[in-house]
Amino acid sequence: MAEGFLMEVCVDSVESAVNAERGGAGRLELCTSLLEGGLTPSLGLLHVVKQYVKIPIYVMIRPRGGDFLYSDLEVEVMRKDIELMKSQGADGLVLGALTEDGRVDAELCMELLAAARPLPVTFHRAFDMVHDPAVALETLISLGFERVLTSGCDSSALEGLPLIKRLVDQAKGRIIIMPGGGITERNLQRILEGSGAQEFHCSARSSRDSAMKFRNTCISMGASFSAPEYGLKVADVSKVRTLNAIAKNTL
């Protein structure tokens, strides 16, 4: 406990990974498409990030956006991604799967955890979509997940704070409860003090305009609700530093 809080930053670029480490992050969650909540990153991204950072890299295993009910073919992809990420030096993995009635898919998770061994595994915010969080937490503990990332089944970790505190109390150290979802320098202290959590998860990003001078503004590459084509979001060293400082000063 003496070493204080651990900050995990989710990143989807090498630049963000470098900035997160420089700002004092203790761990990275490596994804692509943070706008979709984070999907499996490319092997190329993992490989290059590993050349530039020393802190542990937990790799997201999530084949698509949307729900966490996976088909047999999607499971095949997840198993192959686990095998490849392990062979390319991932320090841990992040995954999750639910049944159609909103329970943790224990059978599938057991299979994916077996494929992941010996790497530690975090259960991601699929947890926030479960029907009964207290029951789901016991399932994750019995399966052997190292931690669970959660906003307390609410729109943000601040809104979900009462449940996060109950989960920390229920866990009694058997699994790490890591709050995440909308954590900023404005609410971090309240979340840490109010939950009793020892780790937290954030993106610490700021927006940056594209360097493109020529622009075709008629076109968007994705659906109409997609991100602006000429904007980038990158983890910001000063934001990471500020969050780290707040965590250090929180008792």
Side-chain angles (χ1 to χ4, degrees), residues 27-143:
R27 183 194 311 121
L28 299 177
E29 179 196 77
L30 187 66
C31 324
T32 189
S33 301
L34 276 173
L35 283 156
E36 278 201 80
L39 305 177
T40 308
S42 74
L43 284 171
L45 182 59
L46 172 60
H47 196 87
V48 178
V49 167
K50 276 191 73 73
Q51 292 178 312
Y52 285 88
V53 304
K54 296 278 171 284
I55 56 175
I57 302 164
Y58 276 47
V59 174
M60 175 67 76
I61 303 293
R62 186 181 175 215
R64 57 161 173 79
D67 66 33
F68 303 100
L69 183 63
Y70 295 115
S71 70
D72 292 349
L73 291 172
E74 286 170 334
V75 170
E76 244 182 90
V77 173
M78 292 167 86
R79 292 185 60 119
K80 179 53 77 174
D81 279 334
I82 287 170
E83 182 190 313
L84 293 168
M85 296 301 173
K86 254 171 80 171
S87 72
Q88 291 301 306
D91 297 296
L93 300 170
V94 183
L95 55 87
L98 303 180
T99 61
E100 60 183 17
D101 56 355
R103 287 170 307 150
V104 171
D105 189 336
E107 197 179 341
L108 175 51
C109 285
M110 197 180 295
E111 184 185 324
L112 296 176
L113 283 165
R117 269 196 280 278
L119 294 186
V121 183
T122 298
F123 192 93
H124 57 43
R125 287 187 59 197
F127 186 84
D128 293 325
M129 305 296 192
V130 300
H131 173 63
D132 186 334
V135 171
L137 188 67
E138 293 303 323
T139 305
L140 297 186
I141 290 165
S142 63
L143 284 166

